[in-house]
Amino acid sequence: MSLLVVGSLGIDTIETPFGRVENVLGGSATYIAVAASYFVTPVRLVGVVGGDFKKEYFDFLESREIDVDGVQIVKEGKTFRWGGRYQYDLNARDTLFTELNVFEHFDPVIPEEFKKTKYVCLGNIDPVLQRRVLEQIDKPRLVVGDTMNFWIKGKNADLRQTLKLLDVLVVNDAEARQLTNEPNLIKAAKAIMKMGPRIVIVKKGEHGAMLVTEGTIFSAPAYPLENINDPTGAGDAFAGGFIGWIARMDDISEECLKRAVIHGSTLASFCVERFSLERFKELSYLEILDRFREFRELSKFDEEIPV
Ligand code: AMP
């Protein structure tokens, strides 16, 4: 089974209470594709970078068997850059800068051989570009989309148009509230479903994730980690693990969606252990399976009352 991922490939500068890294690999599509690559091949990546995107970044993506043929390289341009700072509450972050650079004039062209991909994940980029992607491809089985405060505030009308075309929206709690003006997350998820997506996943950082469909609310815990260094990309790694698992199983039943949420949470939990995508350089599939099983133990309890 194949998966198409479109979104940003970026160079990040990140400050957390545990350190600071400058000009490291980042981008929404990068995290999604790498996380998904543990479950599905090929992952087909579409995006744009400048001449400053290092060869070692491409080498890393290719080492995960990610097909980068759809990544445009604008030699004279600069790669998308983003800077973020986290305080002790790692659930909240300040964006220090967003430089769209080559994304400003990016026209996502989907290679012919990618157009029939069954599963699609639209990472966080301009909602106009997300729509351009969907216009070019044959109707996929499932389209998952992500967005963030930058676009909810800056391109709200365009985002509303794009939402009509998504099957699944993955957002964090603050974004769900911002998008709907609704403080209660269940009501917010239901309000988002009226905008288009029939499945909504609300990520709540260290408090887990909630899957809302027409008939179900499924609440998954986050893995209780003692050492978190950098939350950047956790949401994207979640989305990648989620859609990667669905694509692997080629199954969009409710039970599979729930398992996919746990796989998403598993990939996100590894992502935050190190800065940038460092943890994925040494992460094995066996470690993922072990942690997936640990998730089941986390909220398993005996329903019998002893007499
Ligand atoms: P997350 O922590 O999951 O929200 O994703 C963080 C990644 O998203 C970083 O690596 C950034 O490079 C990328 N990013 C941040 N802002 C934007 C934006 N406005 N458009 C596209 N990508 C972004």
Side-chain angles (χ1 to χ4, degrees):
M1 209 41 65
S2 52
L3 171 68
L4 173 66
V5 177
V6 186
S8 60
L9 289 93
I11 299 180
D12 291 347
T13 293
I14 303 157
E15 287 174 43
T16 81
F18 314 106
R20 179 177 194 278
V21 288
E22 212 170 316
N23 301 330
V24 292
L25 178 61
S28 57
T30 315
Y31 282 101
I32 295 170
V34 169
S37 72
Y38 284 90
F39 298 134
V40 62
T41 43
V43 174
R44 296 158 165 172
L45 184 56
V46 170
V48 64
V49 296
D52 53 352
F53 196 77
K54 292 183 189 158
K55 180 178 174 301
E56 67 177 77
Y57 299 157
F58 278 118
D59 290 345
F60 169 57
L61 293 170
E62 281 171 334
S63 77
R64 296 286 332 139
E65 293 185 46
I66 294 167
D67 183 340
V68 294
D69 282 358
V71 178
Q72 299 171 27
I73 305 172
V74 182
K75 283 219 164 64
E76 63 289 358
K78 274 177 76 180
T79 300
F80 170 83
R81 279 168 194 258
W82 176 80
R85 182 191 289 140
Y86 299 81
Q87 313 289 348
Y88 272 101
D89 176 1
L90 293 171
N91 291 313
R93 77 174 170 213
D94 300 318
T95 292
L96 299 178
F97 58 87
T98 301
E99 295 171 13
L100 293 177
N101 298 330
V102 287
F103 262 103
E104 231 157 320
H105 303 289
F106 175 50
D107 182 20
V109 178
I110 308 299
E112 215 39 57
E113 64 276 21
F114 290 7
K115 288 188 175 169
K116 286 196 189 315
T117 312
K118 214 164 166 186
Y119 294 93
V120 174
C121 192
L122 300 171
N124 164 35
I125 42 168
D126 187 332
V128 177
L129 298 180
Q130 292 178 322
R131 220 158 52 235
R132 272 280 296 140
V133 171
L134 296 178
E135 283 161 10
Q136 294 173 66
I137 55 181
D138 292 354
K139 176 82 191 98
R141 186 156 190 224
L142 199 77
V143 180
V144 177
D146 191 356
T147 194
M148 78 186 291
N149 50 5
F150 189 80
W151 307 114
I152 297 173
K153 191 158 173 247
K155 291 233 171 162
N156 198 279
D158 286 308
L159 180 61
R160 296 294 183 114
Q161 289 302 316
T162 302
L163 285 177
K164 291 184 189 160
L165 308 174
L166 301 184
D167 297 301
V168 185
L169 180 71
V170 182
V171 276
N172 71 31
D173 42 6
E175 290 155 359
R177 291 185 173 113
Q178 187 185 3
L179 187 57
T180 59
N181 284 322
E182 172 54 64
N184 179 283
L185 289 178
I186 298 166
K187 286 186 183 160
K190 288 184 176 166
I192 293 171
M193 287 164 78
K194 291 209 177 88
M195 297 176 192
R198 59 194 167 77
I199 300 164
V200 176
I201 298 177
V202 182
K203 300 166 291 179
K204 298 181 288 177
E206 63 184 331
H207 305 298
M210 183 174 70
L211 167 84
V212 184
T213 69
E214 171 86 39
T216 320
I217 297 177
F218 175 66
S219 184
Y223 187 78
L225 276 177
E226 282 192 41
N227 293 311
I228 299 178
N229 275 303
D230 172 18
T232 308
D236 303 317
F238 176 95
F242 173 80
I243 184 72
W245 183 257
I246 290 172
R248 180 192 187 103
M249 303 314 288
D250 194 17
D251 179 358
I252 54 173
S253 68
E254 215 134 79
E255 282 316 306
C256 189
L257 292 177
K258 290 178 187 174
R259 279 190 287 273
V261 167
I262 302 296
H263 277 296
S265 304
T266 304
L267 268 299
S269 74
F270 284 114
C271 177
V272 302
E273 286 182 357
R274 307 263 302 268
F275 278 86
S276 177
L277 286 107
E278 285 303 309
R279 183 64 175 92
F280 295 113
K281 291 190 178 158
E282 50 172 43
L283 177 65
S284 72
Y285 187 64
L286 272 183
E287 285 179 282
I288 294 174
L289 287 187
D290 278 349
R291 193 166 284 183
F292 177 82
R293 291 193 188 107
E294 282 181 59
F295 261 97
R296 207 171 30 200
E297 296 305 314
L298 273 178
S299 36
K300 200 166 110 185
F301 58 91
D302 189 353
E303 77 186 52
E304 296 299 322
I305 304 166
V307 280

